[in-house]
Amino acid sequence: MVEDSVVKRAKELREQLNQYSYEYYVKDAPSVEDFVYDSLYQELVDIENRHPELVTEDSPTQRVGGRVLEGFEKVVHNVPLYSLNDVFNKEDITAFDQRVQKALGHQVSYTCELKIDGLSVSLRYEDGKLVQGATRGDGSVGEDITENLKTVRSIPLKLKNSVTLEARGECYMPKKSFMRLNQNREEEGQDIFANPRNAAAGSLRQLDTKITAKRNLSTFLYSVADTNSLSSSSQYEALQELEDLGFQTNQERKLCRSIDEVWDYIEDFQEKRGDLPYEIDGVVIKVNDFDQQETLGYTVKAPRWAIAYKFPPEEAQT
Ligand SMILES: NC(=O)c1cc2c(N)ncc(C(N)=O)c2s1
């Protein structure tokens, strides 16, 4: 039987370390120096080594991976992950806005979000605890990569509220991590990855979770399978609600009152994309209000209430 003081200390350390990790990986605003984190982490490792029965699912020690998987189980997405219709110029953006206004009978607000060049993932939480993580796959059937996604430090193992929901987002590799990874692979005579998207996909499809844990992946969450699982009534509010639950969300989002504002946003980020610490390949434009999204509905493969504006390919890095 473990003394109460040790059980209490382990709980304190877990909560303190998870808070520090949240500040560092999700808010990008650490409140303590690394050595403070490291010494508390080592204290928890020592306690868990002496008392393995004290290890919990959401312990920060579970982030470093451990198992080598045989393969990936299939996961059926109860709510399919839809794809987006792509557009490539201002005329198509205007045409989208005309179709929306015609269908709804009035002007609408749009939420603009950066289109992250990573791997789409779905994260299922029950009572606030991460129970499953899966790839998008073909939108209906994906692969269970829970063990690998648990090593992604910005993915919360436990939410700030004990809600049950399925969040969707993009898992990506920051440009700096991509450059460092390819440098190491080149020095070791290994093939290099063509781009951060391939590097992220390759890292998440690793059967050895210890390798995934070292790849410094990150995430931006941007929607939920069922909007009724949130209290928000619009996309812009939902992004804030996801952030308040402990997810990393992209801070460049903008609520636009007109399609002209949408176009300004697109031009703005076509300029800025090279300076971002992650790769994007466009902008996702969504009708903001959830009731209006429902009215517009879906075609066979994509929502009528959203489009993806694709940037022209970036000039090859000389
Ligand atoms: N295929 C899709 O539905 C999406 C793909 C992406 C992506 N790669 N990045 C951001 C968003 C977003 N913020 O909605 C979406 S939505």
Side-chain angles (χ1 to χ4, degrees):
M1 181 64 181
V2 189
E3 290 137 60
D4 283 354
S5 60
V6 175
V7 175
K8 185 167 165 293
R9 181 60 182 155
K11 183 171 183 298
E12 264 170 22
L13 287 167
R14 273 198 306 272
E15 286 165 1
Q16 188 68 62
L17 287 162
N18 281 338
Q19 175 57 25
Y20 287 153
S21 184
Y22 169 75
E23 290 162 356
Y24 187 94
Y25 289 105
V26 178
K27 307 310 277 185
D28 195 17
S31 64
V32 293
E33 298 293 322
D34 290 0
F35 75 90
V36 171
Y37 182 90
D38 295 344
S39 64
L40 292 173
Y41 183 85
Q42 196 49 53
E43 186 185 344
L44 180 59
V45 168
D46 294 346
I47 292 177
E48 290 184 353
N49 287 341
R50 288 201 312 274
H51 308 288
E53 69 277 24
L54 293 183
V55 176
T56 61
E57 280 273 303
D58 68 331
S59 171
T61 60
Q62 304 307 297
R63 290 282 198 185
V64 295
R67 295 172 51 197
V68 178
L69 308 175
E70 296 294 306
F72 300 106
E73 303 284 321
K74 292 292 176 209
V75 170
V76 175
H77 297 297
N78 298 327
V79 177
L81 284 85
Y82 51 74
S83 54
L84 293 172
N85 288 318
D86 293 341
V87 294
F88 304 90
N89 55 54
K90 189 172 183 178
E91 292 66 34
D92 291 345
I93 294 275
T94 308
F96 168 68
D97 179 48
Q98 294 300 322
R99 284 198 304 276
V100 165
Q101 290 201 46
K102 184 160 181 280
L104 293 176
H106 54 78
Q107 204 165 4
V108 299
S109 294
Y110 295 102
T111 299
C112 285
E113 301 168 56
L114 297 181
K115 192 166 183 299
I116 310 303
D117 204 0
L119 198 75
S120 286
V121 294
S122 185
L123 304 171
R124 207 157 49 77
Y125 289 79
E126 284 174 6
D127 300 325
K129 291 231 169 104
L130 177 62
V131 294
Q132 187 176 60
T135 63
R136 177 183 187 285
D138 65 2
S140 298
V141 180
E143 290 180 317
D144 187 323
I145 53 169
T146 308
E147 293 308 312
N148 283 339
L149 286 172
K150 281 184 172 177
T151 73
V152 180
R153 303 315 193 268
S154 65
I155 291 179
L157 298 175
K158 193 164 86 171
L159 299 175
K160 294 192 185 297
N161 286 335
S162 55
V163 291
T164 294
L165 56 74
E166 185 176 317
R168 271 113 189 243
E170 208 76 8
C171 187
Y172 69 93
M173 185 179 289
K175 289 175 182 171
K176 276 207 183 94
S177 308
F178 170 68
M179 306 301 280
R180 202 180 314 127
L181 173 65
N182 267 353
Q183 213 167 348
N184 295 344
R185 290 174 74 89
E186 215 155 10
E187 281 156 14
E188 290 159 14
Q190 290 178 301
D191 294 343
I192 63 169
F193 288 104
N195 53 53
R197 191 205 170 288
N198 289 5
S203 303
L204 284 173
R205 294 181 47 75
Q206 263 298 331
L207 290 170
D208 181 349
T209 57
K210 278 194 185 319
I211 294 177
T212 310
K214 294 192 183 100
R215 291 290 174 82
N216 195 30
L217 296 170
S218 193
T219 55
F220 288 121
L221 279 298
Y222 47 69
S223 73
V224 287
D226 175 1
T227 54
N228 296 319
S229 61
L230 293 178
S231 47
S232 299
S233 60
S234 76
Q235 174 62 12
Y236 198 73
E237 282 171 35
L239 288 164
Q240 187 57 52
E241 190 172 355
L242 287 171
E243 186 173 314
D244 296 344
L245 281 169
F247 290 110
Q248 182 150 28
T249 61
N250 190 279
Q251 298 305 308
E252 306 299 348
R253 56 186 180 260
K254 189 169 190 283
L255 181 58
C256 297
R257 310 280 179 208
S258 72
I259 204 68
D260 291 340
E261 262 191 77
V262 168
W263 185 251
D264 292 344
Y265 179 93
I266 287 170
E267 288 191 316
D268 188 22
F269 276 96
Q270 193 148 334
E271 278 299 301
K272 290 178 181 172
R273 71 188 287 206
D275 306 330
L276 294 169
Y278 45 83
E279 288 209 340
I280 61 171
D281 61 351
V283 168
V284 179
I285 300 115
K286 301 172 189 173
V287 167
N288 184 50
D289 182 90
F290 283 157
D291 288 340
Q292 293 173 2
Q293 290 183 4
E294 196 174 341
T295 304
L296 291 163
Y298 295 77
T299 64
V300 169
K301 74 173 184 79
R304 289 196 188 86
W305 46 266
I307 47 166
Y309 177 85
K310 299 293 289 267
F311 292 142
E314 261 184 317
E315 301 78 61
Q317 307 298 335
T318 45

